[in-house]
């Protein structure tokens, strides 16, 4: 019922706003739209009944806001002077002197307080986890009450981890125990909570972009560039021996997105695990690049960085050669490099 209602609302709003403002919608991300007015791209992103608008203030006040409020009840906030903020999907966007500050809506203090309410005081820690978080866990299961509290804490951490690259991997590993939390998993969670207690809240600063200025790639031909850094740990998890793929994406030296995912296959070499990580990161980067091209009407340069020479050599060649048992997505990467 909720899914059908969200779908019906989306198409109702899309048809209405498209007729009122002559909007065009992104093919890759159907919730992303833009309206061109006096050569300015005015963009907005919708998520059910929440909407985030970015564009000229005159278009917002004279056209967009009157069109929406004429038929709908709307509550809104605006970014104005430095220090003002807006909230969208449990995130805060704070305006600062030289850019924006992206702050998780769920604070570290809230997570720590909720954990200590059920499991006692957590000591401060310097790191969120250590290598033992990937050891085989055969410890005793928690009681029903403690299991429920464990899941609630992880639920809060999942919101925090979206914008906290430092705890993303630890939260991913601990969330794998939500179906059957154990004593050992609770100990690892206590260490993570101690790290949050020691470091507090962190935000992502989004600076005003400069022409062609990337993290490592400087002075490109295009104004915008998307840089992706990928890596993988080979057979690190002692239980299922599947590697973890990680990727960090920058748009003009600003952190845009990061991911930490368990691979679905057991890689037989470090190069193979790196290749799976590259494909995962490249897919996300292509999505980001196409959304940026839609928003800016500019061609975006895309770069991918990897530290494994064997994996890089495989995707810079054409065809499989003497290599056996390769997935077809490797050939897909080869075609992208060729293009």
């Amino acid at each position: 019922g909720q899914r059908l209602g969200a779908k019906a609302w989306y198409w109702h709003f899309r048809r209405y706003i498209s007729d009122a403002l002559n909007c065009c919608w992104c093919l890759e991300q159907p919730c992303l739209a833009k309206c061109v007015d006096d050569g300015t791209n005015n963009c907005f992103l919708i998520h059910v009944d929440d909407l985030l608008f970015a564009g000229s203030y005159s278009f917002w006040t004279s056209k967009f806001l009157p069109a929406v409020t004429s038929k709908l009840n709307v509550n809104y906030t605006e970014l104005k002077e430095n220090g003002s903020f807006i909230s969208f999907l449990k995130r805060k966007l704070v305006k600062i002197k030289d850019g924006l500050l992206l702050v998780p809506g769920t604070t570290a203090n809230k997570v720590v307080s909720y954990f200590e309410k059920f499991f006692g005081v957590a000591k401060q820690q310097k790191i969120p986890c250590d290598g033992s978080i990937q050891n085989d866990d055969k410890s005793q299961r928690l009681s029903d009450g403690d299991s429920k509290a464990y899941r609630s804490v992880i639920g809060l951490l999942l919101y925090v981890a979206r914008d906290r690259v430092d705890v993303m991997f630890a939260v991913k590993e601990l969330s794998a125990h939500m179906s059957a939390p154990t004593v050992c998993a609770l100990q690892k969670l206590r260490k993570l909570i101690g790290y949050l207690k020691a470091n507090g809240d962190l935000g992502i600063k989004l600076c005003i972009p400069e022409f062609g200025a990337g993290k490592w790639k400087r002075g490109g031909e295009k104004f915008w560039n998307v840089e992706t850094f990928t890596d993988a740990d080979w057979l690190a998890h002692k239980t299922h021996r599947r590697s973890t793929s990680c990727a960090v994406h920058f748009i003009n030296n600003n952190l845009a997105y990061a991911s930490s995912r368990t691979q679905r296959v057991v890689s037989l070499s470090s190069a193979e695990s790196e290749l799976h990580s590259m494909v995962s990161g490249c897919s996300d980067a292509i999505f980001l690049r196409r959304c940026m091209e839609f928003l800016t009407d500019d061609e975006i340069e895309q770069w991918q960085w990897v530290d494994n020479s064997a994996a890089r050599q495989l995707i810079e060649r054409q065809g499989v050669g003497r290599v056996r048992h390769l997935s077809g997505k490797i050939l897909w990467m080869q075609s992208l490099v060729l293009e």
Side-chain angles (χ1 to χ4, degrees), residues 75-92:
N75 295 320
Y76 64 91
T77 54
E78 301 172 349
L79 279 180
K80 293 184 177 180
E81 67 279 354
N82 293 335
S84 62
F85 68 90
I86 58 175
S87 298
F88 183 68
L89 301 183
K90 293 192 176 181
R91 286 185 176 101
K92 281 186 178 181

Side-chain angles (χ1 to χ4, degrees), residues 212-277:
K215 194 71 177 175
W216 279 10
K217 193 68 179 179
R218 311 291 294 187
E221 297 179 358
K222 310 293 190 305
F223 182 92
W224 300 98
N225 64 58
V226 176
E227 289 179 291
T228 300
F229 299 81
T230 60
D231 204 354
D233 60 343
W234 178 40
L235 303 180
H237 204 288
K238 306 302 187 297
T239 303
H240 48 65
R241 289 298 179 181
R242 289 183 290 171
S243 308
T244 295
S245 298
C246 73
V248 183
H249 308 272
F250 289 86
I251 298 178
N252 281 49
N253 202 19
N254 287 297
L255 176 62
Y257 178 66
S259 63
S260 179
R261 303 179 180 125
T262 301
Q263 296 180 5
R264 297 187 178 185
V265 297
V266 177
S267 300
L268 302 181
S269 67
S270 60
E272 184 182 352
S273 66
E274 293 278 358
L275 285 167
H276 289 300
S277 176

Side-chain angles (χ1 to χ4, degrees), residues 81-138:
E81 67 279 354
N82 293 335
S84 62
F85 68 90
I86 58 175
S87 298
F88 183 68
L89 301 183
K90 293 192 176 181
R91 286 185 176 101
K92 281 186 178 181
L93 276 168
V94 185
K95 185 178 180 181
I96 55 179
K97 183 178 180 180
D98 55 346
L100 295 172
L101 191 64
L102 183 64
V103 183
T106 303
T107 63
N109 184 53
K110 179 180 179 180
V111 180
V112 172
S113 300
Y114 197 84
F115 176 88
E116 293 183 342
K117 175 182 176 181
F118 294 98
F119 302 111
V121 178
K123 295 182 179 179
Q124 296 188 7
Q125 302 289 334
K126 294 183 178 180
I127 57 175
C129 67
D130 52 33
S132 63
I133 198 171
Q134 292 184 300
N135 288 343
D136 192 10
D137 186 1
K138 296 182 179 178

